[in-house]
Amino acid sequence: MRFQRGVDATQVLQAAKHKLFVEGKDNQAIDPAIIQELLNNNDLTAIEVQSMGSCDNVRSAAQALIHQHSSYYFLIDRDDQDLATVDQSWVKFPDPTAFNMLIWRKRELENYFIAPDYIEKSSFFKPDIDVSQRILDVCCSRLFLDAANLTLLYLSRELRRPLAIGHFANPELFKDEGEGILQLEQLADQLEDKKTSIAGVLEKDFVKQKYFHFVNELNGGVFPLQYGSGTWLERMSGKEVFRVIANQCFQVRNASNVLLQGKEQNKQIAKELVSLPLAQQPSDFQDIVKLLKRRIGQI
């Protein structure tokens, strides 16, 4: 074995295989394809973007791999999560205790592609289209559906919440069978609290209140929806809204002049937009580029 002295730690870090894991059923899905394009366009070709299925898959992998692979990073959709949790992921990154995980500030990646001032920069627009109004109309038609789905996401997250104590760790408290029973009996109060908490989450009035909360957050107390009121543009299902808007407002042809449709059309629209200069990208896109460049020692 040969040892080399005087090697710059930054060079060692850059030589490591950096990977960013995202949601998506395969690497042809929109999340890995578009995020890889964004990174490549901003001199981050050293980072390989890979899909890892659902949000739960990405989260589980982050928790399992953090101690073996410090150059693995993870990015998930916001879904129903509160802003404080989301902001902490950006403040802490990279942080092994937070599993090097970032959470989009908007619900899904596609939410960034339904912001009118951003997508109006696309060259694929059909003529004489008022995209701002089209987005508003689609979102108005989905408001109460999306509020209900956010409620379901919230309830699902609460019902899967683990006990405060994941496992026992002190052998001194388990010298015989009786002490083991004692420790488990002392845990009974927490188990009872968990049972009460689950029952509370499933109460009809609690579910209704959570639904009303999401409706009010989305529309800001105003309906029909208006720009500048509520969080609907950030928190509704960007994936579904972008799919409709792309079909209504864009026309994309490939190099052979073949008209693209569906997912391929949507990816080409997004790829063109993320090829714009970094200063014209959404602030979250700018932030993730800066964070990753800092991580691999480019700034």
Side-chain angles (χ1 to χ4, degrees):
M1 182 179 294
R2 180 180 173 185
F3 294 94
Q4 185 176 358
R5 299 181 182 275
V7 177
D8 186 349
T10 301
Q11 291 178 321
V12 174
L13 185 59
Q14 286 179 315
K17 188 63 175 177
H18 295 275
K19 292 186 178 182
L20 176 63
F21 293 95
V22 301
E23 298 183 42
K25 69 176 183 178
D26 56 44
N27 287 343
Q28 302 308 308
I30 190 167
D31 286 58
I34 300 310
I35 296 168
Q36 186 72 74
E37 188 82 7
L38 174 69
L39 300 188
N40 290 349
N41 290 335
N42 289 281
D43 304 316
L44 280 168
T45 54
I47 298 178
E48 178 184 355
V49 180
Q50 290 192 356
S51 65
M52 195 173 270
S54 68
C55 173
D56 286 343
N57 288 351
V58 179
R59 189 186 298 276
S60 297
Q63 294 171 358
L65 297 175
I66 184 61
H67 298 297
Q68 289 76 31
H69 299 282
S70 61
S71 57
Y72 284 8
Y73 319 110
F74 302 85
L75 178 63
I76 61 174
D77 290 345
R78 177 177 176 179
D79 293 329
D80 64 297
Q81 297 186 78
D82 62 85
L83 187 57
T85 300
V86 173
D87 284 344
Q88 277 300 301
S89 76
W90 293 81
V91 171
K92 290 181 177 181
F93 184 88
D95 178 11
T97 65
F99 315 118
N100 285 354
M101 183 182 296
L102 289 169
I103 306 171
W104 284 125
R105 292 188 176 101
K106 298 189 179 186
R107 179 169 169 181
E108 298 163 337
L109 173 65
E110 288 89 344
N111 284 81
Y112 296 93
F113 299 104
I114 60 171
D117 58 345
Y118 182 48
I119 62 172
E120 284 174 349
K121 298 171 183 176
S122 173
S123 67
F124 295 125
F125 265 126
K126 294 178 182 177
D128 303 319
I129 292 285
D130 184 348
V131 70
S132 295
Q133 188 60 49
R134 294 293 181 96
I135 292 169
L136 193 61
D137 292 343
V138 174
C139 289
C140 278
S141 72
R142 292 187 56 88
L143 171 65
F144 303 108
L145 169 67
D146 276 276
N149 283 333
L150 284 169
T151 303
L152 290 179
L153 286 169
Y154 172 85
L155 295 175
S156 178
R157 191 182 303 279
E158 285 299 301
L159 293 173
R160 291 200 305 266
R161 192 178 298 278
L163 294 172
I165 178 171
H167 63 278
F168 295 106
N170 186 358
E172 292 299 315
L173 300 177
F174 293 85
K175 292 180 179 178
D176 57 38
E177 185 179 75
E179 289 194 356
I181 291 293
L182 178 62
Q183 292 300 315
L184 288 170
E185 286 177 344
Q186 290 176 353
L187 189 64
D189 287 342
Q190 187 184 140
L191 294 173
E192 191 63 32
D193 289 343
K194 177 73 172 177
K195 181 173 140 183
T196 302
S197 175
I198 290 173
V201 166
L202 295 175
E203 287 286 341
K204 185 182 295 186
D205 285 345
F206 180 88
V207 175
K208 286 168 59 178
Q209 288 304 313
K210 185 54 63 173
Y211 174 67
F212 293 148
H213 163 81
F214 280 120
V215 169
N216 191 64
E217 180 186 334
L218 291 174
N219 67 15
V222 176
F223 190 79
L225 299 174
Q226 296 179 10
Y227 285 100
S229 180
T231 62
W232 56 273
L233 200 57
E234 294 81 29
R235 303 293 314 271
M236 292 181 69
S237 177
K239 191 181 303 295
E240 294 301 322
V241 176
F242 182 50
R243 178 182 59 80
V244 175
I245 294 302
N247 288 336
Q248 290 183 355
C249 304
F250 294 83
Q251 188 174 73
V252 183
R253 295 183 181 275
N254 64 14
S256 302
N257 203 37
V258 174
L259 189 65
L260 300 182
Q261 295 180 330
K263 294 178 181 179
E264 286 306 311
Q265 170 191 253
N266 300 352
K267 281 198 291 186
Q268 289 306 313
I269 295 168
K271 279 186 175 182
E272 183 198 42
L273 287 168
V274 298
S275 70
L276 295 170
L278 187 60
Q280 297 182 36
Q281 298 298 331
S283 59
D284 285 359
F285 289 4
Q286 297 182 39
D287 286 349
I288 198 168
V289 166
K290 291 173 185 175
L291 282 175
L292 292 173
K293 282 190 173 183
R294 186 176 299 118
R295 175 59 178 163
I296 69 173
Q298 289 190 12
I299 58 174

